[in-house]
Amino acid sequence: MQGLPRAVRRLPPVLIVLAWLAVGGALGPYAGKLSQVSTNDQAAFLPQSAESTRALEEQKKFQQTETFPAIVVWTADRGRATEAQRKQAVAALTSLNGTPGVVGEAGDGSVLTSSDGRALAGVVQLEPGLGDELPPTVERITRAAERVEGMTARVGGPAAIQAGFAEAFAGIDGVLLGVAVGAVLLILLLVYRSLLLPFVIILGAVSALALAGAIAYALADRDVVRVDGQVQGILFILVIGAATDYALLLSARFREELADRTAHRDRVAAAAAALRRSWAPIVASAATVALGLLALLLSDLTNNRALGPVGAIGIGCALLSALTFLPGALALLGRAAYWPSKPKPGGRNAFWRKVAAVVDRAPRRVWLGTALLLAALAAFAPTLVVRSTPLTETFVDDTSAVAAQRALAEHFPAGFGNPAVVIADADRADAVIAAAQRTPGVAAVTPLTRPGPPGPSGTGEPLVVDGRVRIDVTLRDEADSAAAERTVRLLRQRLHAVPGADALVGGYTAQRYDTQVTADRDRRVIIPVVLAIVTVILIALLRSLPIPLLLVATVVLNFLATLGVAALVFAHLLGLDGTEPALVLYGFVFLVALGVDYNIFLMSRVREETAAHGTRQGVRRGLTTTGGVITSAGVVLAATFTALVVIPLTFMAQIAFIVAFGVLLDTLVVRSLLVPALVGDLGRRAWWPSRLWRRADRSPPGAHLAGAQLAGSKPVAHHAKPHRGLLRATGAHAKVHGGDAHEVGRHRRR
């Protein structure tokens, strides 16, 4: 290749770059179209084997037309609601009869007055699956309800909540991408002080996102996976962040190759050498994240299972771009990529030389101190409250649905309009109704009746379908509250005890409870699988046992420390009562997989340097050469996840905080101090049972000169007798009584 004409050698990079530009141009629009095949209907992601899911399937038999309720609440501006106001409310609801999206007919009895007389409430039944038409339909209901004079109207219930989710995710493709790309670009410009390289990296990341978005669109359009706004947002962030991280590692190695004056390589050869020396850790890093995400396929929640393959596809596209587009672009640009700066031997490593020297002087003190700090933060992790977030905390901003829920809780049984749904055998209906009425927390029990005049008892005859009846149980507490979930659990216990009833309890509250139970099960199953995947990849890459186990232990400690900080921030600074059950699992997968990423980058370089200079010098050189680029990668990834706060949902803000803070903690503390100090303290034993463990851990002749230069000291004459202090300052190794200088130093300290 080196002997070929320059034009021939540059042809492959030109073709690769042009191919990626074509991919970005042709497939880019699909990332924006992903919302068209997304669903934000929370019922679509229910646990597949849960009781609430089975109840929902039977519930459909009782509805000739499946409906989606919107609850309208009017509160009197002054005093009690008048009969005239109630009639105006009835007129407002009847005006909606027959309008697009509304099913059923509202009549005179469609509006109820609260027991305190200060509020009115009615239910408007909507068609399910309205999609993009749901928000304007809810807005039309709101405008109609506002016609009642002297009363404040609010629209809540499942339909309004779903409309809130749709509005929260509306347009996130453009806004989220713009914020993430802008943050990354700004950081790269500030850190690298290069005008061209940041734009090249961003172009590669956006091209990878175009490819990932097109694949995800095709899968969702064919119902292979279900994608919601949450999965879509995380996909954008993952691809941009991962592609940038991989690009930073490769471009830093390319800078080293250009600055290596002994190699005399041209730009194409330098790009090839950088790729040859970087591909293994980059692939290992991508495999860790992708396989960790694929472990989510073991989840019983559909949105978790969707995030697994969609996220893995995004990581794969980021990897492909980093290993093809970027080397091609760097091969064409050469030193111009770093303009106006110039690649120099050693780069700007002065700070990391000092950090490496501190770690080298007292590795045991460093790792004990950082481990104790992380353990202290992790002690607060058990205080993190994990339960389904109440509606009042779901949205960052106060919405009409939240205000309507508050009004319902104040003036009506808080579960009004959103009952627990019981399906039971018809011949045991009376026993089931009696058991439900005796259950604490139940406000009313109403069987679904068939159309027609009431029977002798004053109520309609129960509607029987396939020998089963439906009974609606109104709860005293808000349907999304912990108290309501306790009522549902107790209701299930009592109804399951009714002989021959074969009762199922479903509805909104039961679905939330089942989701939380399933999320708890997912954590118990998926977390060990992710840890096993990460450990196997690390063993295969580093070919040792102690270091992979140490790395896994450190990222788990970092995860627990992050949860501890999150518990303090969420409860005491933000005033939140809980976190969604999926938050802990998502945080674990992202932090463990991404945290191992940076340790892979570090330890693969340490292993390379150890093979030539011994463990002690390997740690110093590895930390010095990778410190800047890995820190930059961590800051970039934290910034991209922080962009999730543009989505006005509390869950997205929480996952943004956990991942961003955890990545920074891992980058600045775990990877910079804890891991190198642990490996330095272990010495060559860290590499057991590889060849690095079996060989004598000493530097080759003259290595103390390189060590001195690496540490920023002045070189000494080659014939000078190495002083004990010099050995300690430079990290050079000397053979003393058959052992290495590091072991001797430890013996002397003891």
Side-chain angles (χ1 to χ4, degrees):
M1 186 76 175
Q2 190 71 25
L4 295 175
R6 178 180 300 179
V8 175
R9 285 187 286 118
R10 293 185 181 177
L11 181 60
V14 169
L15 295 177
I16 290 172
V17 170
L18 290 177
W20 272 106
L21 293 177
V23 166
L27 302 182
Y30 285 97
K33 294 179 180 179
L34 195 55
S35 58
Q36 298 176 6
V37 292
S38 299
T39 174
N40 293 305
D41 180 4
Q42 300 306 295
F45 304 108
L46 292 177
Q48 299 302 296
S49 58
E51 181 175 337
S52 59
T53 306
R54 290 181 283 135
L56 182 63
E57 291 301 316
E58 290 203 36
Q59 180 181 336
K60 295 177 181 178
K61 300 176 183 178
F62 292 85
Q63 299 173 331
Q64 294 182 354
T65 303
E66 190 178 355
T67 59
F68 200 37
I71 303 172
V72 185
V73 185
W74 293 269
T75 54
D77 297 337
R78 294 181 180 178
R80 300 167 64 91
T82 65
E83 179 62 21
Q85 288 174 326
R86 194 191 73 82
K87 290 182 178 180
Q88 289 179 12
V90 171
L93 296 190
T94 55
S95 70
L96 296 168
N97 292 343
T99 59
V102 177
V103 296
E105 297 287 332
D108 186 63
S110 58
V111 175
L112 302 178
T113 304
S114 64
S115 57
D116 61 9
R118 298 177 58 191
L120 306 172
V123 179
V124 179
Q125 299 292 351
L126 304 181
E127 296 177 7
L130 286 176
D132 294 339
E133 294 302 315
L134 180 59
T137 302
V138 172
E139 179 62 26
R140 190 167 66 249
I141 295 172
T142 302
R143 289 197 301 269
E146 289 174 345
R147 298 171 189 164
V148 179
E149 298 177 358
M151 304 195 81
T152 300
R154 300 178 181 90
V155 180
I161 296 171
Q162 197 61 53
F165 278 111
E167 291 175 347
F169 288 113
I172 65 166
D173 41 12
V175 176
L176 187 60
L177 181 60
V179 172
V181 169
V184 171
L185 188 59
L186 178 61
I187 293 171
L188 292 179
L189 288 170
L190 292 175
V191 171
Y192 286 92
R193 288 175 280 180
S194 167
L195 296 180
L196 191 55
L197 181 62
F199 289 97
V200 172
I201 292 176
I202 289 297
L203 183 58
V206 172
S207 298
L209 179 60
L211 179 59
I215 296 174
Y217 178 91
L219 294 177
D221 190 43
R222 292 165 175 77
D223 290 327
V224 177
V225 296
R226 283 186 179 270
V227 178
D228 64 353
Q230 176 179 296
V231 172
Q232 181 183 355
I234 292 176
L235 172 66
F236 280 36
I237 294 303
L238 268 180
V239 175
I240 297 296
T244 304
D245 278 5
Y246 305 151
L248 289 175
L249 184 69
L250 183 62
S251 61
R253 200 62 188 251
F254 180 65
R255 177 195 287 265
E256 288 184 40
E257 296 298 331
L258 288 178
D260 185 359
R261 296 169 182 170
T262 63
H264 300 292
R265 294 189 178 99
D266 66 4
R267 61 184 67 176
V268 176
L275 179 60
R276 184 173 61 253
R277 296 183 178 182
S278 302
W279 74 268
I282 292 177
V283 169
S285 170
T288 300
V289 180
L291 292 176
L293 287 167
L294 287 175
L296 292 174
L297 289 171
L298 299 174
S299 173
D300 200 29
L301 295 173
T302 308
N303 54 344
N304 285 355
R305 291 203 306 274
L307 178 60
V310 171
I313 289 169
I315 294 297
C317 294
L319 173 67
L320 184 62
S321 172
L323 296 183
T324 55
F325 170 80
L326 185 63
L330 293 177
L332 296 177
L333 294 172
R335 296 176 181 272
Y338 303 95
W339 184 85
S341 63
K342 296 181 180 179
K344 299 178 181 179
R348 297 186 297 272
N349 292 328
F351 173 78
W352 291 102
R353 290 194 195 101
K354 295 177 182 178
V355 173
V358 169
V359 172
D360 183 62
R361 277 197 300 269
R364 188 164 300 175
R365 266 184 284 178
V366 171
W367 74 255
L368 278 174
T370 52
L372 288 174
L373 171 64
L374 294 172
L377 296 177
F380 295 98
T383 66
L384 183 69
V385 178
V386 179
R387 69 176 184 86
S388 297
T389 304
L391 174 62
T392 53
E393 296 180 1
T394 298
F395 300 94
V396 173
D397 302 320
D398 205 3
T399 65
S400 174
V402 173
Q405 183 62 46
R406 291 197 188 102
L408 276 175
E410 182 178 356
H411 301 287
F412 293 89
F416 173 82
N418 206 0
V421 178
V422 177
I423 307 295
D425 282 357
D427 55 0
R428 301 294 294 161
D430 291 341
V432 169
I433 292 173
Q437 289 173 333
R438 293 193 299 269
T439 302
V442 170
V445 180
T446 308
L448 184 67
T449 58
R450 66 179 65 200
S457 62
T459 60
E461 291 296 321
L463 176 63
V464 179
V465 178
D466 295 337
R468 306 278 277 175
V469 294
R470 168 181 166 172
I471 302 167
D472 290 346
V473 179
T474 301
L475 308 179
R476 295 189 183 279
D477 301 292
E478 293 94 332
D480 59 354
S481 66
E485 291 180 7
R486 288 193 294 270
T487 301
V488 165
R489 291 200 302 271
L490 184 58
L491 185 64
R492 282 178 171 176
Q493 292 174 6
R494 298 200 172 188
L495 299 190
H496 290 170
V498 176
D502 191 21
L504 297 173
V505 179
Y508 179 72
T509 305
Q511 292 166 3
R512 287 172 58 87
Y513 171 70
D514 288 340
T515 298
Q516 181 168 336
V517 171
T518 304
D520 293 340
R521 171 261 175 199
D522 286 350
R523 289 197 298 273
R524 293 193 300 270
V525 172
I526 295 174
I527 286 178
V529 172
V530 173
L531 290 176
I533 290 171
V534 169
T535 303
V536 169
I537 291 175
L538 289 174
I539 291 174
L541 177 69
L542 300 175
R543 286 163 279 178
S544 78
L545 288 179
I547 292 180
L549 295 178
L550 283 176
L551 294 183
V552 170
T554 58
V555 294
V556 170
L557 180 59
N558 178 73
F559 168 70
L560 294 175
T562 301
L563 286 190
V565 174
L568 298 175
V569 171
F570 295 164
H572 300 292
L573 292 183
L574 302 182
L576 301 176
D577 292 333
T579 60
E580 284 292 335
L583 182 70
V584 175
L585 181 60
Y586 281 15
F588 178 84
V589 171
F590 290 140
L591 283 185
V592 169
L594 296 172
V596 167
D597 268 13
Y598 301 129
N599 287 310
I600 286 175
F601 294 162
L602 169 66
M603 292 311 302
S604 59
R605 186 58 180 264
V606 169
R607 192 181 196 285
E608 179 184 333
E609 298 290 350
T610 297
H613 305 287
T615 302
R616 189 171 181 181
Q617 279 293 329
V619 172
R620 293 191 65 164
R621 289 172 177 269
L623 182 56
T624 300
T625 54
T626 64
V629 63
I630 295 179
T631 301
S632 300
V635 172
V636 165
L637 190 64
T640 55
F641 266 92
T642 302
L644 287 173
V645 299
V646 302
I647 303 174
L649 296 177
T650 302
F651 174 82
M652 302 305 282
Q654 288 176 326
I655 194 67
F657 175 83
I658 284 180
V659 177
F661 180 86
V663 165
L664 291 177
L665 186 64
D666 182 89
T667 304
L668 300 176
V669 177
V670 175
R671 187 269 317 172
S672 300
L673 300 173
L674 181 58
V675 169
L678 282 168
V679 177
D681 197 20
L682 280 175
R684 67 187 179 95
R685 292 170 297 177
W687 303 106
W688 181 85
S690 69
R691 288 182 297 175
L692 293 180
W693 166 71
R694 291 192 294 270
R695 60 180 287 182
D697 194 3
R698 64 177 73 91
S699 300
H704 62 284
L705 297 176
Q709 292 170 347
L710 181 64
S713 304
K714 294 181 180 180
V716 298
H718 181 67
H719 62 275
K721 182 178 180 180
H723 186 270
R724 183 176 62 186
L726 178 62
L727 285 175
R728 185 161 54 249
T730 63
H733 295 259
K735 184 175 181 181
V736 182
H737 300 298
D740 61 28
H742 182 44
E743 294 296 325
V744 173
R746 293 178 58 200
H747 176 72
R748 285 175 177 168
R749 286 194 293 271
R750 289 196 290 266

